[in-house]
Amino acid sequence: MTDQNQIYPDLRQGFEAYWTETLYPALKAKEKLRKKYVSHFWLLVLLALFVLPVVTIGIYVLNKYFAKDVDAGLFFIVFALFAFLLRQPFKSYRKKIKNDVMQTFVGYFKGFSYQQGDGLSPSEINDSKIFPYFETASADDCFSGVFQGVHMRLCEQILKKIERTQKKSHEVTVFQGISIELDMPKKFQGHTIVLKDHGIFSRFTKPQGMERVALEDPFFEKTFEVYSTDQIEARYLLTPIFMERLIKLKQLYKGKSVQLSFFNKKLLIAVETKEDMFEPFSFFKTNLNKPKIDAVFEQFLTVFSIIDILKLSQNA
């Protein structure tokens, strides 16, 4: 497979100049704001270090010497209040700078735009049939644009559900990763999905209204499971060449769970990863940090390379 460091040399070369002329000045202009919020954070820490011992001593004195019945839970209420307050400088700073800086960053890729939190709708997630059962859906960074003639939408997606027992319930994450929605050059009407192989449990993963599609590539069959509403159309979409490209795509993401859904005349790819994607910002350290920006740039090139690997700019 092509070395990731060798792809898109023109984009790489141009990005060096873009960093110097555009991104660096934009980030430098935000440094004063970052330092302001860091100061707010440390002031809150100092206030907490003063107030919490005073509350503790106050509860002890009132109960011991004044026969007051002050619940020790007051301490935990005050502690929870400070825990909440200490998060606010982080959240406020991120909210204020992220949209501006990410718009500037993505401006390098002509025709792309950034939208915070504009992820897949619950109906899109359910209809795709490649995501697990969930109760709440949220998204962080989302990007959309056209690369090599293919329209794409890229989002960080998080899906959660509530696990309930007789004694308590708690929220668990059932999917964390990126969703990549791409135009398909081939026309199709049905719905075909490519899931990670579930081995002996595959009989329990069959989606309602779909049939298992048997393909001729034994290696592909050991890696993925394919289901479709139309067996003929599934084979039309998943040609031997396309299956070979999907194996390369999985290798690109270093064995992470990669699943696909051909529906609504689009191709939706879900890549499960715990990595915090598209996050070039720091709070306590300067953001004039080119390696962090370079890491986000590389993540973009990885997504762009999907179009080349799958040859979506060609009708093949």
Side-chain angles (χ1 to χ4, degrees):
M1 186 177 174
T2 303
D3 185 351
Q4 197 62 16
N5 291 324
Q6 302 302 318
I7 63 173
Y8 309 125
D10 293 343
L11 280 176
R12 292 176 185 280
Q13 185 175 0
F15 190 70
E16 294 299 315
Y18 191 75
W19 158 260
T20 303
E21 297 168 8
T22 305
L23 272 174
Y24 183 86
L27 288 169
K28 188 174 182 180
K30 301 294 183 182
E31 273 296 284
K32 186 175 180 180
L33 182 67
R34 182 188 68 81
K35 292 176 181 178
K36 171 186 170 183
Y37 279 107
V38 170
S39 296
H40 289 175
F41 173 83
W42 288 119
L43 284 173
L44 285 168
V45 169
L46 290 174
L47 185 61
L49 291 175
F50 172 76
V51 171
L52 290 173
V54 169
V55 171
T56 303
I57 295 170
I59 292 171
Y60 174 79
V61 170
L62 288 172
N63 287 336
K64 184 171 181 65
Y65 297 103
F66 296 92
K68 302 292 184 181
D69 188 18
V70 180
D71 192 338
L74 177 63
F75 171 84
F76 295 101
I77 293 173
V78 176
F79 180 85
L81 175 62
F82 274 106
F84 171 79
L85 291 174
L86 284 168
R87 292 179 57 195
Q88 300 317 299
F90 292 94
K91 293 174 67 175
S92 298
Y93 169 69
R94 189 176 187 273
K95 183 178 180 180
K96 284 196 173 185
I97 76 160
K98 184 142 195 187
N99 187 68
D100 289 345
V101 173
M102 291 309 287
Q103 287 284 13
T104 305
F105 170 83
V106 82
Y108 175 69
F109 305 100
K110 304 301 182 185
F112 270 78
S113 61
Y114 170 77
Q115 308 85 30
Q116 194 166 8
D118 185 22
L120 296 172
S121 69
S123 61
E124 287 178 298
I125 295 168
N126 282 319
D127 291 347
S128 72
K129 295 190 176 183
I130 59 174
F131 293 96
Y133 168 78
F134 71 99
E135 293 176 61
T136 61
S138 61
D140 190 4
D141 301 315
C142 295
F143 308 86
S144 60
V146 178
F147 183 72
Q148 293 188 357
V150 178
H151 186 272
M152 64 190 306
R153 182 163 68 123
L154 164 67
C155 292
E156 282 189 285
Q157 197 80 47
I158 299 177
L159 306 178
K160 296 182 178 182
K161 70 174 183 179
I162 303 296
E163 285 193 348
R164 300 171 177 85
T165 63
Q166 290 183 341
K167 294 184 178 180
K168 61 179 182 179
S169 62
H170 64 283
E171 194 173 51
V172 296
T173 299
V174 295
F175 177 85
Q176 178 179 343
I178 56 174
S179 63
I180 307 161
E181 189 179 67
L182 301 159
D183 282 343
M184 272 293 291
K186 287 187 174 183
K187 305 300 180 185
F188 61 94
Q189 299 298 321
H191 190 172
T192 298
I193 62 174
V194 180
L195 305 177
K196 62 183 178 182
D197 182 62
H198 289 86
I200 62 173
F201 299 103
S202 61
R203 69 182 66 184
F204 304 110
T205 60
K206 176 185 171 184
Q208 188 174 4
M210 291 185 163
E211 294 296 331
R212 179 77 182 260
V213 180
L215 299 166
E216 296 179 358
D217 187 329
F219 185 74
F220 186 87
E221 287 275 85
K222 289 181 180 179
T223 307
F224 296 106
E225 297 173 7
V226 180
Y227 298 90
S228 181
T229 59
D230 188 325
Q231 295 269 333
I232 295 175
E233 189 173 78
R235 292 184 177 87
Y236 160 74
L237 292 169
L238 297 170
T239 63
I241 293 175
F242 196 85
M243 287 189 287
E244 183 180 322
R245 293 168 186 164
L246 286 184
I247 296 296
K248 288 184 178 180
L249 177 60
K250 186 171 176 66
Q251 292 170 351
L252 173 68
Y253 283 99
K254 300 177 181 178
K256 294 183 175 68
S257 171
V258 177
Q259 304 193 125
L260 299 88
S261 179
F262 299 86
F263 79 121
N264 291 345
K265 301 179 181 179
K266 301 276 187 181
L267 169 58
L268 177 63
I269 303 173
V271 181
E272 195 163 4
T273 174
K274 303 298 182 185
E275 183 180 357
D276 192 6
M277 304 284 284
F278 316 118
E279 197 65 43
F281 304 106
S282 297
F283 185 73
F284 293 109
K285 296 180 180 179
T286 177
N287 283 311
L288 303 176
N289 187 337
K290 190 167 183 294
K292 292 194 77 171
I293 292 289
D294 285 341
V296 176
F297 180 71
E298 291 297 328
Q299 289 168 350
F300 258 81
L301 295 191
T302 297
V303 174
F304 288 161
S305 66
I306 291 173
I307 293 172
D308 285 328
I309 291 170
L310 300 183
K311 307 297 181 187
L312 293 181
S313 57
Q314 307 171 20
N315 191 15

